[in-house]
Amino acid sequence: MKRFIFIAIFLSLTILGCDDGENLYDNEVVVGMDCSDGDMNVGMSFDSNTVHCGKSGNLYFGIEWMDPNEGVYHLERGMNPVDLYLYSNGDEDVVVDSVWTLETDSVKISICEKLDFSNSSIKGTFCLNKFEKSIEKDYVSYYDEGDKSQIKFSHYVVYSKFNSYNALCVVESYKCVLLYSCLIRYDGTYNFSSIPSLDGVKRKNIWCIDL
């Protein structure tokens, strides 16, 4: 009988001990996709509800050849011939949204408006992209970590949709490839459960068809 009472008390304490309030990650979803289609006309768009492939929105990430005449030259030398850019059409709905890209350049970091979010798994600072109607494309710099032989094709960005959601994304661009993985929170916070990874994204393995 005493053993039964002890077990009952133990189970009750265990159940109460696990109730630590609201789960921070109940309002988080994961999305990811390979947007590649064999050419350079690919993009990753933000809309009022989520992130998706395409260039249909007023704000999206796209890719283009760094130098169309030297694309093959760069590929042969193992270099990335592709620029990743953030496009904005200056629409008033876009202006109230915010996009923060990860920077590792100390000069850029010193003069940028910084996001109050950091994670020990990511080296760098998220800086605000300021849109101007006269500027349609804002090119995203590749990370400079002091070793030019290590070319990184992935970029981290945080997107904040006004009165809707916050998304932490990793975007990869190389040749005719563009894919992404995002953690999206709908509670107005930046309490992301982890750092998004492209490991779980099913790759189409479509490179440049006409190169």
Side-chain angles (χ1 to χ4, degrees), residues 67-179:
D67 185 339
N69 298 321
E70 296 185 0
V72 175
Y73 173 86
H74 282 83
L75 292 174
E76 290 176 347
R77 286 152 182 79
M79 299 172 63
N80 189 8
V82 170
D83 275 329
L84 177 72
Y85 64 86
L86 178 65
Y87 170 84
S88 169
N89 68 353
D91 185 270
E92 61 181 7
D93 292 334
V94 172
V95 175
V96 297
D97 298 339
S98 299
V99 182
W100 314 79
T101 56
L102 186 68
E103 292 286 354
T104 57
D105 186 298
S106 59
V107 175
K108 292 181 179 180
I109 292 174
S110 66
I111 60 175
C112 79
E113 184 175 333
K114 304 168 184 62
L115 177 65
D116 186 19
F117 167 77
S118 63
N119 188 288
S120 59
S121 299
I122 301 180
K123 296 180 180 179
T125 300
F126 284 95
C127 290
L128 179 66
N129 291 76
K130 295 186 176 181
F131 305 115
E132 298 179 9
K133 291 186 177 180
S134 61
I135 300 176
E136 294 183 344
K137 293 181 179 180
D138 186 3
Y139 292 91
V140 179
S141 300
Y142 282 93
Y143 307 139
D144 179 6
E145 295 183 350
D147 187 354
K148 299 299 184 181
S149 65
Q150 299 296 320
I151 301 175
K152 299 181 181 299
F153 306 131
S154 298
H155 307 270
Y156 290 98
V157 299
V158 174
Y159 172 69
S160 180
K161 181 68 177 178
F162 183 68
N163 282 340
S164 182
Y165 64 89
N166 295 326
L168 172 61
C169 305
V170 56
V171 186
E172 179 178 305
S173 60
Y174 177 63
K175 293 198 285 191
C176 295
V177 173
L178 189 148
L179 62 158

Side-chain angles (χ1 to χ4, degrees), residues 7-8 12 25 29 35 38 61 106 132 148 163 173 203:
I7 293 174
S12 298
Y25 309 125
V29 298
C35 302
F61 280 100
S106 59
E132 298 179 9
K148 299 299 184 181
N163 282 340
S173 60
R203 296 174 183 257

Side-chain angles (χ1 to χ4, degrees), residues 58-71:
N58 298 324
L59 182 69
Y60 63 81
F61 280 100
I63 57 176
E64 66 182 19
W65 293 117
M66 184 183 302
D67 185 339
N69 298 321
E70 296 185 0

Side-chain angles (χ1 to χ4, degrees), residues 163-204:
N163 282 340
S164 182
Y165 64 89
N166 295 326
L168 172 61
C169 305
V170 56
V171 186
E172 179 178 305
S173 60
Y174 177 63
K175 293 198 285 191
C176 295
V177 173
L178 189 148
L179 62 158
Y180 69 89
S181 179
C182 300
L183 301 180
I184 301 178
R185 294 198 60 81
Y186 293 94
D187 61 356
T189 73
Y190 298 96
N191 297 321
F192 301 105
S193 61
S194 61
I195 300 302
S197 171
L198 294 166
D199 294 341
V201 177
K202 186 176 181 181
R203 296 174 183 257
K204 297 177 182 178

